[in-house]
């Protein structure tokens, strides 16, 4: 009985040590991969909203230059470095102006605000891309409804966003109700 108890205590202590030890980069990546595999709905929602956003930029007026890869199964779980860039990159044909769009869908507000970035690091990633590439970044935000057909869609220049969460009053000027709203925002 003592050996059995000793074994259980040893196992528990070992698990606690593993929990608190610093994980290597590869262990962290593997952990993230497992989380991704277990939460396919977030990828499905993200992909559905990204496809909805594609429709906001018709082929007659916009060239699609790049699009992120959302399916970790397609790469056998390998991380694609270009996925650190915003989801979509377009070129406005009329002015030959490239720009990028990061697509974010939320089914509802969190504490009365639209949380477009989980943390400062995520937001800074897009700011860094914009600064280094000199390509403007816009955040497309879908709210309510479904990712395929949100009740509201906003398109806001990243340079105008100061916080990771935005109140609806801030978003009002950036709502996309019809096609001309996209052009109005891109040209402002």
């Amino acid at each position: 009985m003592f050996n059995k108890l000793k074994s259980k205590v040893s196992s528990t202590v070992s698990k606690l040590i593993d929990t608190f030890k610093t994980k290597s980069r590869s262990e962290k990546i593997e952990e993230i991969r497992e989380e991704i595999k277990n939460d396919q709905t977030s990828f499905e929602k993200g992909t559905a909203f990204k496809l909805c956003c594609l429709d906001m930029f018709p082929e007659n007026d916009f060239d699609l230059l790049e699009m992120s890869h959302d399916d970790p199964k397609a790469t056998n779980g390998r991380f694609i470095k270009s996925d650190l860039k915003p989801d979509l990159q377009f070129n406005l044909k009329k002015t030959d102006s490239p720009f990028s769009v990061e697509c974010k869908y939320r089914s509802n507000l969190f504490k009365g605000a639209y949380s477009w970035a989980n943390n400062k690091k995520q937001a800074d990633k897009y700011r860094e891309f914009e600064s280094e590439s000199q390509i403007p970044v816009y955040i497309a935000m879908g709210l309510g409804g479904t990712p395929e057909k949100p009740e509201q869609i906003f398109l806001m220049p990243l340079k105008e966003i100061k916080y990771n969460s935005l109140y609806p009053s801030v978003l009002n000027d950036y709502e996309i109700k019809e096609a001309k709203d996209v052009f109005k925002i891109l040209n402002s």
Side-chain angles (χ1 to χ4, degrees), residues 110-121:
F110 178 71
K111 296 184 179 181
Y114 190 101
S115 179
W116 73 272
N118 295 331
N119 52 51
K120 184 179 182 325
K121 185 178 177 181

Side-chain angles (χ1 to χ4, degrees), residues 50 54-55 57-58 70 80 120 148 175 187:
K50 186 173 20 173
L54 274 176
D55 291 340
F57 304 98
D70 284 332
I80 300 173
K120 184 179 182 325
E148 298 84 359
E175 187 168 5
N187 293 318

Side-chain angles (χ1 to χ4, degrees), residues 166-184:
L166 303 166
Y167 289 101
S169 58
V170 174
L171 294 171
N172 287 338
D173 291 340
Y174 301 98
E175 187 168 5
I176 305 297
K177 293 181 180 177
E178 52 190 348
K180 70 178 183 174
D181 294 334
V182 171
F183 292 98
K184 180 182 82 173

Side-chain angles (χ1 to χ4, degrees), residues 40 43 47 69-77 80:
Q40 289 298 310
F43 280 104
T47 299
H69 311 85
D70 284 332
D71 187 359
K73 291 179 185 173
T75 59
N76 203 17
I80 300 173

Side-chain angles (χ1 to χ4, degrees), residues 31-44:
E31 197 172 271
I32 291 168
R33 283 183 182 157
E34 284 304 311
E35 286 177 27
I36 288 169
K37 286 179 192 173
N38 295 328
D39 191 14
Q40 289 298 310
T41 57
S42 66
F43 280 104
E44 293 166 357

Side-chain angles (χ1 to χ4, degrees), residues 13-186:
V13 169
S14 178
K15 286 179 184 175
L16 283 171
I17 290 170
D18 286 347
T19 301
F20 290 108
K21 78 176 186 181
T22 304
K23 294 180 180 170
S24 71
R25 183 173 183 270
S26 61
E27 287 173 318
K28 289 178 185 176
I29 290 171
E30 189 56 38
E31 197 172 271
I32 291 168
R33 283 183 182 157
E34 284 304 311
E35 286 177 27
I36 288 169
K37 286 179 192 173
N38 295 328
D39 191 14
Q40 289 298 310
T41 57
S42 66
F43 280 104
E44 293 166 357
K45 287 178 184 178
T47 299
F49 183 61
K50 186 173 20 173
L51 294 174
C52 171
C53 289
L54 274 176
D55 291 340
M56 290 178 6
F57 304 98
E59 197 172 347
N60 292 347
D61 300 305
F62 301 94
D63 286 322
L64 177 62
L65 304 176
E66 289 188 40
M67 184 169 167
S68 64
H69 311 85
D70 284 332
D71 187 359
K73 291 179 185 173
T75 59
N76 203 17
R78 291 189 65 181
F79 176 73
I80 300 173
K81 193 163 181 154
S82 65
D83 282 352
L84 291 173
K85 297 178 183 179
D87 290 322
L88 304 167
Q89 188 172 337
F90 294 99
N91 191 59
L92 178 57
K93 291 179 180 181
K94 187 176 183 179
T95 60
D96 194 30
S97 307
F99 64 95
S100 290
V101 178
E102 176 61 20
C103 306
K104 299 291 184 181
Y105 170 79
R106 303 291 183 259
S107 54
N108 49 44
L109 298 176
F110 178 71
K111 296 184 179 181
Y114 190 101
S115 179
W116 73 272
N118 295 331
N119 52 51
K120 184 179 182 325
K121 185 178 177 181
Q122 185 183 35
D124 287 346
K125 172 179 78 168
Y126 302 118
R127 288 188 174 91
E128 185 178 315
F129 171 83
E130 185 173 57
S131 175
E132 289 179 2
S133 68
Q134 295 295 301
I135 296 173
V137 174
Y138 294 81
I139 307 299
M141 297 171 260
L143 179 62
T146 65
E148 298 84 359
K149 192 171 171 61
E151 290 172 14
Q152 294 177 287
I153 297 178
F154 307 94
L155 183 66
M156 190 168 182
L158 180 61
K159 66 183 179 185
E160 301 292 326
I161 300 176
K162 294 179 181 26
Y163 304 103
N164 297 346
S165 292
L166 303 166
Y167 289 101
S169 58
V170 174
L171 294 171
N172 287 338
D173 291 340
Y174 301 98
E175 187 168 5
I176 305 297
K177 293 181 180 177
E178 52 190 348
K180 70 178 183 174
D181 294 334
V182 171
F183 292 98
K184 180 182 82 173
I185 292 167
L186 290 176

